[in-house]
Amino acid sequence: PSCVSSSITDASSCAYRPLIMSRPSSIALLLAASSASTYAASCYPNATFGCLNGFPYNYDTEFPCGSMDEAGNQPIYSWATTGCCGQGLSFDSSESYCCFDGVHTYAEGECISYDAKKFNTDCYCDGTKATTYGAHLAMPTGGELVVADDVPDTIDTSVANDDPCDTADSTYGCLNGWQYNFTAQYPCSKYILRYDTMGCCSDTPYNLEEDSCCKEGDNYEVHVSNAHACDCSKYGCQ
């Protein structure tokens, strides 16, 4: 069963399930699956630069977030302008932020600590009340998602791979020498995450059912083993 945020008293009792949404447009490194020649680029990471599907990016200023879009474009974003939330959802960090059930705008309200006994449910942000729980977190997909049992939840690509990849093909991507399946996994900064279990809290993995991603001041915090640690509330309403 789905859970509507306006009536949730304890989201930890609500199992997170990915929903089906249309893919967003994105800035792109052109990696169209229909053209093998686009995979000719290759690179290996070093202390300064990472590599996504054969293309280098600067660790200090850029990061990967999410899957390819419908056109086969694999995004690399700027830390200065973009954030990453849920199942690899990018957002304009000057207008929006990640809080509990997904991306919210600053115009809606603020991300605050959640207590089921004290939180005034009339104060939920309008976007939260209008959306089924989990919809803001949902990855862009064109159909049902089935992920094999042997796909790991998290791969930390800062750990050296003994047999590193240096580019992508039509089935597998390559992040910092580690191969990942386009349909089962996605990049989150230096991590490769499993779609159906893991979310991306800016640059940190978290379990979608068990943990929370909360904006606290200028930073993001993952609250482990607290599935509803924060929520979006209208300003001055509590």
Side-chain angles (χ1 to χ4, degrees):
S2 61
C3 300
V4 180
S5 293
S6 58
S7 63
I8 288 178
T9 57
D10 182 9
S12 63
S13 64
C14 255
Y16 173 78
R17 290 179 175 81
L19 304 178
I20 296 174
M21 300 175 67
S22 60
R23 290 182 182 270
S25 59
S26 68
I27 63 172
L29 294 176
L30 298 180
L31 293 176
S34 60
S35 175
S37 63
T38 58
Y39 298 109
S42 67
C43 74
Y44 292 102
N46 58 33
T48 304
F49 293 96
C51 292
L52 177 64
N53 300 334
F55 291 85
Y57 66 94
N58 190 303
Y59 287 127
D60 289 338
T61 59
E62 299 170 308
F63 70 103
C65 166
S67 63
M68 289 193 299
D69 63 20
E70 287 180 335
N73 302 322
Q74 181 74 59
I76 288 177
Y77 297 100
S78 167
W79 285 117
T81 60
T82 310
C84 191
C85 184
Q87 292 169 311
L89 302 180
S90 61
F91 60 91
D92 183 338
S93 55
S94 68
E95 299 178 351
S96 307
Y97 59 91
C98 190
C99 178
F100 175 51
D101 64 342
V103 177
H104 296 274
T105 65
Y106 287 109
E108 286 182 78
E110 59 186 334
C111 189
I112 66 170
S113 178
Y114 179 86
D115 184 329
K117 296 180 179 179
K118 298 179 180 179
F119 195 96
N120 183 348
T121 57
D122 291 332
C123 295
Y124 279 119
C125 294
D126 291 336
T128 301
K129 292 195 294 184
T131 308
T132 300
Y133 173 67
H136 286 150
L137 291 172
M139 69 168 185
T141 180
E144 294 294 336
L145 177 70
V146 178
V147 180
D149 292 339
D150 61 352
V151 174
D153 285 336
T154 304
I155 298 173
D156 183 352
T157 68
S158 65
V159 177
N161 189 349
D162 291 337
D163 185 22
C165 55
D166 64 349
T167 190
D169 58 31
S170 60
T171 302
Y172 293 99
C174 179
L175 177 63
N176 299 331
W178 290 85
Q179 197 173 65
Y180 66 95
N181 190 310
F182 285 129
T183 62
Q185 299 162 291
Y186 68 97
C188 164
S189 186
K190 67 176 183 178
Y191 298 98
I192 295 170
L193 304 182
R194 179 182 168 120
Y195 268 131
D196 59 349
T197 60
M198 302 300 293
C200 184
C201 184
S202 181
D203 61 353
T204 305
Y206 70 102
N207 186 289
L208 289 166
E209 289 190 0
E210 300 174 0
D211 309 329
S212 298
C213 176
C214 302
K215 188 176 190 301
E216 300 180 1
D218 294 332
N219 301 313
Y220 284 97
E221 298 291 338
V222 171
H223 291 261
V224 178
S225 300
N226 187 343
H228 200 167
C230 56
D231 215 318
C232 184
S233 175
K234 293 178 181 177
Y235 294 107
C237 187
Q238 298 293 329

